[in-house]
Amino acid sequence: MNGTVTWWQGVGGGLQLLSRQVLGISGLIIVVTILLTALFGDFLAPADPLALSIRDKFLPPSFAHPFGTDFLGRDVFSRVVSGSRIAMTAAVVAVSLSAGIGLVLGMLAGMGPRWLDYSLLLLFDTLRSFPVVMFALAVVTLVGPSLETIIFVVVVISIPLFGRAVRTQTLALKSSEFIHAEIAMGASLGRLMAVHLLPNVLGPIMILAAMEVPVVITTEAGLSFLGFGVRPPAPSWGNILNDGFIYVRNSPWPLLFGGLPIILTTLGFTFLGEALRDILDPRLRKEE
């Protein structure tokens, strides 16, 4: 019971600190809105995002088409709403996998023997040395463009980011008295990692994850824009931008409204990540 109360008190205290930050609250509102849009996009989209209507191409924003129509007469608002599901699926899956793998490898590097630490650092440096775009193009060329390919590329590139951050935190905790006491009592490596290290490294991981989501979304949109990501006619934000760029002289609305959600998503997760950093890291928390 006491643990439950303490947990709820911690959540309540975090929300109270978040409520004092205008940018943090703004980021949370944007993030929640995007997530709800991705979850309930089928109910929010007023039209089929793939339905063609050549007679209605390049229409300006109106009540029937809030974001106008593209070169095939497709409703841009419906495509943007449906595209949020593709973007958030890629972001959530890729960040979760890379954070989970990086978390385990980082704790192993920090707590394991020196040869394992050096081996994992070499792996991190090797993965991080590949230029993202070149690596993505090479993988796409080998296996073909798809959402799964993009997720794989992002996971491979992002693992070193989380792994190095967790390793640094683990090395700092390794010399703590409670860790030495647990080792003296015969605690296994698995228990040390799951019970004592994990709760202390989750804060930095949550901050990094929030900051990494916009990177994944822009990567997916950029590759789709170049034709190496989600294939048309899927309503990816990158595909919407590509169509809008090609026909920008005919109508600017697809390009404008195709880029707007990427900007809002980046701002939302950045604001939220900054707020989480101030809340979860006492050294950076501003005194009021």
Side-chain angles (χ1 to χ4, degrees), residues 168-204:
T168 302
Q169 294 290 323
T170 302
L171 289 175
L173 292 168
K174 187 178 181 179
S175 58
S176 302
E177 293 183 359
F178 71 95
I179 294 293
H180 288 302
E182 286 291 328
I183 294 176
M185 294 173 62
S188 64
L189 179 60
R191 176 177 173 81
L192 289 174
M193 291 172 56
V195 178
H196 299 287
L197 294 177
L198 182 59
N200 289 285
V201 300
L202 278 181

